[in-house]
Amino acid sequence: MQTWSTVFIAVCVQATPFLVLGVVVSGAIAAFVPARVFAKLLPDNPALAVPIAGMCGIALPGCECGSVPIANRLMDRGVRTSAALAFLLSAPAINPIVLVATAVAFQNEPRMVWARLVGGLLTAVIVGWIWERIGRPEWMKPRVDLRDDDDGTPKSRIFLSTVAGDFAQVAGFLVIGAAAAATFNVLIPAGFMEHVGSSIVLTIVLMACLAFILALCSEADAFVAAAFTTIPFIGKLVFLTVGPAVDVKLVALQAGTFGRKFAVRFAPLTFIVALVTGVGVGLLFFGGWR
């Protein structure tokens, strides 16, 4: 119970500041950014809109928890669902704080920073393109159309109500996700990782599953990955590619924000794409299993 409590509190403490940052940015978008801005920034062609939105993720210094309410608000402002989801996936994986943390954690292997950047961006773009083809509006909660900028409501009231509403909506699901992560964490036997590195297939699958289960903040997960000294670099990259894209707390947050029908389809898709992308980029950058 002591370990469970420690992990639960750690996940909540790590995520809450960035969750607050996310809902503040979400409120600012709803209140102060005209919908026409997004029409100018993103092209109508989804083949171009998705990668552009994915590259925009490098500008947001936050983690995966904060990207959920921002993506939700972008959809309300008329941004294509596929493009908003590409931003949701790329922001926690390729923002400057995450890349600097990765560089510090892997000082002896600087290629890991570039591998993570490429892997995270490719995952976001590929998932966005796939969702553009297979996504259905009925899989998501009904949206609130916020594209009318001249309804007369004071901007300050829109900002405060949006921040309060978004935080109340996602905070409870963060607690659920943190509890699930803590539960899975204490069920993993101590020392189990020491016996994994000998099988590359087992390594890849297990590191992907651990990334999903442990639900680490993307700005701290590089230090955990670097601590797995018996794990090949490809396994570590899979861990760093899957984790920011999909984990138990993110599934809970996405289910609460976009609906359960969305979450049960989006999470498996993201997991598979992130795993395959991590392996492919790992082979490209490291040239082998080690």
Side-chain angles (χ1 to χ4, degrees):
M1 286 303 300
Q2 183 177 1
T3 302
W4 187 94
S5 300
T6 300
V7 175
F8 173 77
I9 293 172
V11 172
C12 290
V13 169
Q14 278 184 328
T16 299
F18 299 103
L19 183 63
V20 172
L21 173 63
V23 298
V24 169
V25 174
S26 169
I29 291 173
F32 305 113
V33 181
R36 60 181 176 273
V37 170
F38 300 108
K40 294 179 180 179
L41 287 177
L42 297 176
D44 293 332
N45 187 344
L48 297 176
V50 168
I52 290 175
M55 288 185 288
C56 289
I58 201 169
L60 180 67
C63 75
E64 56 271 23
C65 298
S67 66
V68 173
I70 296 175
N72 183 48
R73 198 57 54 194
L74 290 175
M75 294 179 198
D76 287 342
R77 302 297 277 178
V79 174
R80 303 183 72 93
T81 300
S82 56
L85 294 176
F87 175 84
L88 181 152
L89 294 175
S90 69
I94 67 173
N95 73 70
I97 296 178
V98 168
L99 297 180
V100 169
T102 305
V104 172
F106 289 91
Q107 296 183 44
N108 296 327
E109 187 47 84
R111 288 178 296 177
M112 184 61 78
V113 178
W114 294 103
R116 182 171 197 179
L117 172 63
V118 173
L121 183 57
L122 277 179
T123 297
V125 173
I126 292 172
V127 172
W129 279 337
I130 293 175
W131 195 262
E132 178 67 29
R133 297 296 299 270
I134 70 171
R136 299 290 183 269
E138 60 267 23
W139 293 348
M140 306 187 73
K141 283 184 176 180
R143 307 222 58 80
V144 178
D145 191 348
L146 296 178
R147 285 176 285 182
D148 184 2
D149 298 313
D150 300 315
D151 61 356
T153 305
K155 300 297 184 182
S156 59
R157 181 178 297 177
I158 296 175
F159 173 76
L160 293 176
S161 63
T162 301
V163 169
D166 285 353
F167 185 81
Q169 182 180 50
V170 300
F173 289 94
L174 171 62
V175 172
I176 295 173
T183 301
F184 284 118
N185 190 290
V186 299
L187 295 178
I188 299 174
F192 179 69
M193 296 302 299
E194 297 177 4
H195 306 287
V196 174
S198 58
S199 170
I200 189 60
V201 175
L202 179 60
T203 295
I204 291 171
V205 174
L206 182 66
M207 292 300 285
C209 292
L210 279 179
F212 178 82
I213 290 169
L214 296 181
L216 299 173
C217 177
S218 62
E219 297 175 356
D221 59 0
F223 298 97
V224 176
F228 293 136
T229 56
T230 62
I231 299 298
F233 282 119
I234 288 182
K236 296 177 182 179
L237 181 61
V238 168
F239 182 85
L240 296 177
T241 305
V242 172
V246 56
D247 59 36
V248 289
K249 73 175 185 300
L250 265 178
V251 173
L253 287 170
Q254 291 169 2
T257 304
F258 304 119
R260 286 180 293 177
K261 291 182 179 180
F262 168 85
V264 298
R265 292 169 172 84
F266 187 72
L269 169 65
T270 305
F271 184 88
I272 293 172
V273 172
L275 190 156
V276 174
T277 302
V279 173
V281 174
L283 288 173
L284 177 65
F285 274 84
F286 303 113
W289 295 124
R290 285 288 172 183

